[in-house]
Amino acid sequence: MKFEEIKNPYTLQFSYIPPQFIERSIITNEIINNFIREVPTFRGMFITGVRGSGKTVLMGDVRNKIGKLDDWITIDINPESNLLDSLARGLYIIPEIKALFVKAKLDFSVLGIGVHIENAELVASNEEDALKMMLGILKKAKKKILVTIDEITYSTDVARFSHAMSSYASADYDIYVLMTGLIENIKAIKNQKSLTFLYRAKARELDNLNITAICADYQKVLALDRETAEALAFCTKGYSLAFQALGYHYWNALSRYGAGKFDIDDVYRELDITLSELSYEKIWDELSETDRKVLAAIDTICKKNNTDAAKVEDIRKHIDMTSNTFTTYRTRLIDSGIVDGKKYGSLSLKLPRFGEFIRFNTY
């Protein structure tokens, strides 16, 4: 098998479905089935997770699959834009949809969409009214709409969007919303109890990629034996960015030196740099000083005892913290997706090779 850097099937790019893509079938089907059922359980859904976990890729996969279904329209809108205006414009530029609006003699010229129509049946005065008119026509045409918004954060425009979606839901228009966001940003939105639509939206946190699937991918694409592929797969801990980055750097090593002619530690060093630059530095910057001390303590204890997890009691002693105070930081770090607390009485670092990053940044 010939390996060439320019044909590397793994990527370090964000926000699109890569050539080597491991599908999360369970959550993908759960989201799609929710929206396409006769009466959806949730009109809005959030995909949450730590940076680099594959939120945008999953949303894109769902959007593509739903977009292929009859009578469905998908619109992706910029979270930094005027959401209602972007949605109205996005619908209007779809030729088959625009034709329905023109036929119905709807006038959206006040928004700079289309032209002024003489003897118009309805004339829009703002974005929200324009969308009501559009959705009414689309419902008669038995069209359903999925709106996708990547990396949403709370703002007054998001609040306005939520209130509009509540209004459209009350009118039984067929419009649904799928969003991605960091866990803390989704919580900030859901803490705004007046935003009924987004408050009731289902939040679904991403699970790790399946290690067996990663192993099979590496074995096939990188032409590895089972043992080597397993070692690489376990190194990623199922973290989406690590899966792509490790495959990317291993492929490049094969193309430059050939199988068995390079030091795997060099590949891991490249991986560490990529994880740091594309994810870990930003995660670290967003942590408090005490959060960092807790993480450093977990790493120190695990390294000292040669274990994957550190006992909570040992962590508290190491940083001299009371049980009540520690609980706050424990909960926050688990919720952020950085720490795993599934093992009773213990904590472990959830992200691959994050211990190496911590040591480099604290010692």
Side-chain angles (χ1 to χ4, degrees):
M1 184 174 182
K2 189 175 182 181
F3 296 93
E4 298 178 47
E5 284 193 46
I6 61 171
K7 294 183 179 179
N8 195 325
Y10 300 97
T11 181
L12 304 183
Q13 291 186 46
F14 283 91
S15 303
Y16 90 112
I17 299 175
Q20 289 309 119
F21 170 57
I22 294 179
E23 188 172 350
R24 288 177 163 102
S25 300
I26 294 176
I27 186 171
T28 299
N29 291 335
E30 176 187 325
I31 294 171
I32 291 174
N33 290 339
N34 168 73
F35 287 131
I36 68 173
R37 59 184 294 173
E38 202 164 301
V39 181
T41 305
F42 304 99
R43 280 184 169 264
M45 294 188 75
F46 292 107
I47 302 170
T48 72
V50 71
R51 293 181 187 279
S53 58
K55 302 181 295 295
T56 304
V57 170
L58 178 67
M59 183 177 73
D61 188 38
V62 170
R63 181 175 59 240
N64 290 346
K65 285 181 166 63
I66 288 183
K68 292 176 182 177
L69 300 176
D70 291 339
D71 300 325
W72 275 88
I73 304 159
T74 61
I75 302 286
D76 186 57
I77 54 179
N78 185 341
E80 299 297 327
S81 67
N82 176 327
L83 299 179
L84 293 176
D85 182 73
S86 293
L87 177 54
R89 292 176 186 279
L91 286 171
Y92 193 83
I93 63 173
I94 300 173
E96 63 172 306
I97 303 305
K98 179 180 178 180
L100 295 175
F101 301 151
V102 172
K103 184 178 180 181
K105 292 187 176 181
L106 303 184
D107 189 333
F108 306 121
S109 58
V110 70
L111 307 179
I113 302 174
V115 296
H116 175 67
I117 297 176
E118 294 291 338
N119 302 316
E121 293 289 334
L122 293 169
V123 179
S125 59
N126 55 49
E127 300 100 332
E128 194 168 342
D129 284 346
L131 281 168
K132 283 181 181 178
M133 292 158 56
M134 290 177 173
L135 294 173
I137 295 299
L138 292 174
K139 187 170 182 66
K140 289 179 182 177
K142 297 184 178 180
K143 298 288 186 181
K144 297 182 179 181
I145 303 148
L146 175 68
V147 179
T148 56
I149 309 173
D150 193 26
E151 295 297 350
I152 192 169
T153 56
Y154 177 73
S155 66
T156 53
D157 191 62
V158 167
R160 183 166 168 254
F161 178 79
S162 179
H163 290 307
M165 289 302 116
S166 292
S167 173
Y168 303 153
S170 296
D172 198 30
Y173 292 137
D174 294 315
I175 183 167
Y176 310 94
V177 187
L178 178 62
M179 301 152 281
T180 73
L182 297 176
I183 296 167
E184 57 268 29
N185 291 336
I186 301 307
K187 282 189 173 183
I189 291 173
K190 282 183 159 289
N191 283 339
Q192 305 293 324
K193 300 296 192 295
S194 64
L195 306 185
T196 306
F197 181 87
L198 294 179
Y199 177 71
R200 292 179 179 172
K202 171 74 171 178
R204 186 67 161 79
E205 185 174 354
L206 281 189
D207 297 324
N208 291 336
L209 294 174
N210 184 280
I211 296 295
T212 302
I214 294 176
C215 177
D217 181 280
Y218 284 163
Q219 200 172 357
K220 178 182 178 181
V221 178
L222 301 174
L224 299 175
D225 59 75
R226 178 77 182 185
E227 184 179 356
T228 304
E230 278 186 351
L232 294 180
F234 278 111
C235 176
T236 70
K237 289 189 175 181
Y239 183 48
S240 184
L241 174 58
F243 160 63
Q244 289 292 333
L246 184 52
Y248 178 86
H249 292 303
Y250 202 97
W251 176 285
N252 284 349
L254 288 171
S255 68
R256 292 169 189 167
Y257 311 110
K261 296 179 181 179
F262 58 88
D263 188 342
I264 187 62
D265 287 338
D266 290 336
V267 174
Y268 287 142
R269 276 189 284 272
E270 292 288 341
L271 172 64
D272 289 339
I273 292 170
T274 297
L275 292 176
S276 175
E277 291 180 344
L278 299 185
S279 178
Y280 292 175
E281 287 178 4
K282 185 65 175 175
I283 290 173
W284 192 251
D285 287 345
E286 292 170 345
L287 296 172
S288 70
E289 190 61 37
T290 306
D291 287 328
R292 296 175 186 176
K293 287 180 179 179
V294 173
L295 292 170
I298 294 172
D299 176 60
T300 299
I301 294 167
C302 287
K303 191 167 178 61
K304 178 183 177 182
N305 298 334
N306 195 28
T307 57
D308 292 330
K311 292 182 179 179
V312 168
E313 182 181 356
D314 293 340
I315 302 169
R316 288 199 298 104
K317 286 180 179 178
H318 189 87
I319 56 178
D320 191 24
M321 186 179 287
T322 65
S323 179
N324 286 341
T325 302
F326 182 78
T327 298
T328 301
Y329 292 98
R330 174 186 180 277
T331 301
R332 188 160 66 204
L333 289 170
I334 290 174
D335 286 348
S336 69
I338 301 171
V339 163
D340 192 335
K342 291 179 182 177
K343 185 177 179 181
Y344 180 75
S346 298
L347 294 176
S348 60
L349 299 176
K350 197 171 182 180
L351 299 173
R353 300 182 68 81
F354 199 56
E356 283 79 358
F357 175 84
I358 291 171
R359 270 169 254 142
F360 183 80
N361 284 273
T362 56
Y363 304 139

